[in-house]
Amino acid sequence: MTNEHAIDVALVEDNDLFRKTLSGVINRSPNLNCRHAFESAEKALRVMEREEWAPDIILLDIGLPGMNGIASISKIKSLSPASKIIMLTIHDDDDNVFRAICSGASGYLLKDASPHEIIHAMKSVLQGAAPMNAYIAKKVLDLFRKLAAPPAHYGLTGREKEILKLLVDGFSKKQIAATLFLSYHTVDTHLRNIYQKLEVHTRSGAVAKALKERLL
Amino acid sequence: MTNEHAIDVALVEDNDLFRKTLSGVINRSPNLNCRHAFESAEKALRVMEREEWAPDIILLDIGLPGMNGIASISKIKSLSPASKIIMLTIHDDDDNVFRAICSGASGYLLKDASPHEIIHAMKSVLQGAAPMNAYIAKKVLDLFRKLAAPPAHYGLTGREKEILKLLVDGFSKKQIAATLFLSYHTVDTHLRNIYQKLEVHTRSGAVAKALKERLL
DNA sequence: TATTAAATAGCGCATTTGCGTGATTGTCAT
DNA sequence: ATGACAATCACGCAAATGCGCTATTTAATA
């Protein structure tokens, strides 16, 4: 069932059985065409380079022998930026997930995914989505929550927050006064109160705290 | 098909048809029991409080009339911390997604999800996963990549980075000099170079840039 | 070998900052 | 009406900062 306008898929997977099974499933799907199935990232990269081949989608095993899975992503992305990469993995190897994401992978599935899921994932990446296994999504969310910490409240008043913003933007007291049409002394007083509430003694201390704890 | 050990589901959704359809689907599923279906978060909260009811799962529409969808999450979580919340939404309204996540939602689906998808999502949240629509996952990933941005490089030398760290931690020039066993003047010179490379003219400017662009 | 970059150190000075110690006005809830 | 807060304004001063200009030593690199 080859099709001129089929979605061009590359498969990189060292396990023979899994590779053959999956490429079979792909080729039996309408509009999907698995032109090559490689057993290593190196081989895939070689062919992509030699034939200037830019697959629509690359299904990439993260636990490949030889080249690091993460390194492969970068190489592939530099060789063919438009190709969408969907990672396949057995373990939900925590750390690699995030590095893969930052390297430019568009999707992240576990190998126990059903053929249907994988096919569906391939179609949705092409529509700009990022199919992700729910367990992996959980890890992403957890880290996300940690990064987006609770906007700690130090009892800053509206005016104080306003002035703190200008402080973060590098304004001097004189400039803040001019901007807000206030006396220099008023700004000075507000700064003192901000310092006290934030328990700092310098403007950089206040700026650091404001940025670290997202007080704006 | 009521079952003593069924998963206890609450549904909060203002659209009558959608609510009735979905609760029907849930109740026809083995091991799932939709005890109550509310049309507003207020009503759900009232019943949960009065009956001390802690559902296993709460399917929550984000676009409810009355109480804010995000606010509902917080209230529910404080009333029943163990309940898993799966958000349902029509639009992928960017901003709310992140706030919902940070408020403690465990899953995020679009309303066009198939009954099968929703059922499957409910089972996977209970196993500790975070089922997420691929389009929403994309948004999370994009923000994630931005947060874990490429540590912009301003040509700072090792010593300069070291001093910049101390700057962010609120040290004065004198303190930095003492810490690094350097002359006050040396620290001063380093600071000048840092300022020049970062294109700022104050220590708070440097601190802000360092934190905003993660130069440490 | 010559050049460049990094790290070190110094002097002088105008400006800015942080802080002690005040005060006045308006609002809002008790 | 009586505090409690928020927001405003003021003087003075020691300390810290930012910056112009200069200079030495070492390590790397062309």
Side-chain angles (χ1 to χ4, degrees):
Chain A
M1 188 180 273
T2 28
N3 180 326
E4 274 305 307
H5 305 296
I7 295 164
D8 197 9
V9 181
L11 174 57
V12 186
E13 164 62 56
D14 64 317
N15 181 291
D16 280 356
L17 178 58
F18 192 75
R19 185 175 66 249
K20 281 167 186 160
T21 309
L22 189 50
S23 67
V25 169
I26 293 170
N27 281 324
R28 273 192 300 281
S29 299
N31 295 319
L32 290 180
N33 179 23
C34 181
R35 239 168 81 180
H36 288 296
F38 308 94
E39 61 197 358
S40 79
E42 288 87 342
K43 288 187 183 176
L45 283 164
R46 219 172 302 139
V47 171
M48 285 177 62
E49 192 158 29
R50 177 160 20 92
E51 304 184 8
E52 288 182 29
W53 179 39
D56 297 313
I57 293 174
I58 298 167
L59 292 173
L60 183 61
D61 182 7
I62 204 174
L64 290 170
M67 186 187 287
N68 182 324
I70 309 300
S72 320
I73 298 178
S74 308
K75 288 259 172 76
I76 289 172
K77 271 288 168 185
S78 65
L79 215 57
S80 166
S83 296
K84 299 289 185 183
I85 299 174
I86 298 177
M87 305 300 294
L88 293 176
T89 181
I90 310 185
H91 327 284
D92 40 356
D93 31 7
D94 276 47
D95 219 41
N96 285 85
V97 176
F98 301 112
R99 276 185 287 180
I101 287 169
C102 293
S103 303
S106 297
Y108 222 110
L109 300 181
L110 294 185
K111 280 195 180 172
D112 66 4
S114 67
H116 171 265
E117 268 182 283
I118 296 181
I119 302 295
H120 186 260
M122 288 195 275
K123 293 187 173 163
S124 63
V125 279
L126 291 180
Q127 284 162 34
M132 206 182 306
N133 171 276
Y135 292 93
I136 292 169
K138 174 65 159 46
K139 292 184 188 305
V140 176
L141 282 202
D142 285 344
L143 190 68
F144 197 85
R145 284 202 194 96
K146 219 172 67 186
L147 288 181
H153 193 46
Y154 287 90
L156 292 179
T157 69
R159 204 51 159 170
E160 284 162 359
K161 281 183 201 160
E162 196 174 359
I163 288 176
L164 184 54
K165 269 175 209 140
L166 295 175
L167 214 65
V168 169
D169 287 338
F171 285 63
S172 73
K173 284 195 272 196
K174 203 186 284 183
Q175 290 174 318
I176 294 176
T179 306
L180 300 180
F181 303 104
L182 289 175
S183 151
Y184 171 88
H185 303 291
T186 304
V187 176
D188 182 70
T189 304
H190 282 306
L191 276 194
R192 296 176 196 223
N193 295 331
I194 292 173
Y195 289 175
Q196 197 174 5
K197 289 178 180 175
L198 260 45
E199 298 174 274
V200 298
H201 304 277
T202 61
R203 52 202 300 105
S204 16
V207 169
K209 202 144 192 172
L211 289 173
K212 281 180 185 167
E213 313 196 10
R214 304 170 192 64
L215 304 180
L216 321 178
Chain B
M1 186 177 277
T2 28
N3 180 325
E4 275 304 308
H5 304 295
I7 296 164
D8 198 7
V9 180
L11 174 57
V12 186
E13 162 64 54
D14 64 317
N15 182 289
D16 279 356
L17 177 59
F18 192 76
R19 184 177 66 249
K20 281 167 186 162
T21 310
L22 189 50
S23 67
V25 169
I26 293 170
N27 281 324
R28 275 191 299 281
S29 299
N31 296 318
L32 289 180
N33 179 23
C34 182
R35 239 168 82 178
H36 288 296
F38 307 94
E39 60 199 359
S40 79
E42 287 87 342
K43 290 187 183 177
L45 283 164
R46 220 173 301 139
V47 172
M48 284 177 62
E49 193 158 25
R50 176 158 23 90
E51 305 185 8
E52 289 183 30
W53 178 39
D56 297 313
I57 293 174
I58 298 167
L59 292 173
L60 182 61
D61 183 7
I62 202 174
L64 289 172
M67 186 187 288
N68 183 323
I70 309 300
S72 321
I73 299 178
S74 309
K75 288 258 171 77
I76 290 172
K77 272 288 168 186
S78 67
L79 215 58
S80 167
S83 295
K84 299 289 185 181
I85 299 174
I86 299 177
M87 305 300 294
L88 293 175
T89 181
I90 312 184
H91 327 284
D92 39 356
D93 31 6
D94 277 46
D95 221 39
N96 286 84
V97 176
F98 300 113
R99 277 185 287 180
I101 287 169
C102 293
S103 302
S106 297
Y108 222 112
L109 300 180
L110 293 185
K111 280 196 180 172
D112 66 4
S114 67
H116 170 265
E117 268 180 284
I118 296 180
I119 303 294
H120 185 259
M122 288 193 276
K123 294 189 173 162
S124 63
V125 279
L126 291 180
Q127 285 163 33
M132 205 182 305
N133 170 276
Y135 292 93
I136 292 168
K138 173 65 157 48
K139 289 184 191 303
V140 176
L141 282 201
D142 285 344
L143 189 67
F144 197 85
R145 285 201 193 97
K146 215 172 74 185
L147 286 181
H153 195 45
Y154 287 91
L156 293 178
T157 69
R159 202 53 157 169
E160 285 162 357
K161 281 183 202 160
E162 195 173 0
I163 289 176
L164 183 55
K165 268 174 211 143
L166 296 175
L167 213 65
V168 169
D169 286 339
F171 285 63
S172 72
K173 285 195 272 196
K174 203 186 282 182
Q175 290 174 318
I176 295 176
T179 306
L180 300 179
F181 304 104
L182 290 175
S183 153
Y184 171 88
H185 302 291
T186 303
V187 176
D188 183 70
T189 304
H190 282 306
L191 274 194
R192 296 173 195 224
N193 295 331
I194 292 172
Y195 289 174
Q196 198 174 5
K197 288 178 180 175
L198 260 46
E199 297 173 271
V200 299
H201 305 277
T202 62
R203 52 203 299 105
S204 15
V207 168
K209 202 144 191 170
L211 289 174
K212 280 181 186 166
E213 314 197 11
R214 305 168 191 63
L215 305 180
L216 320 177

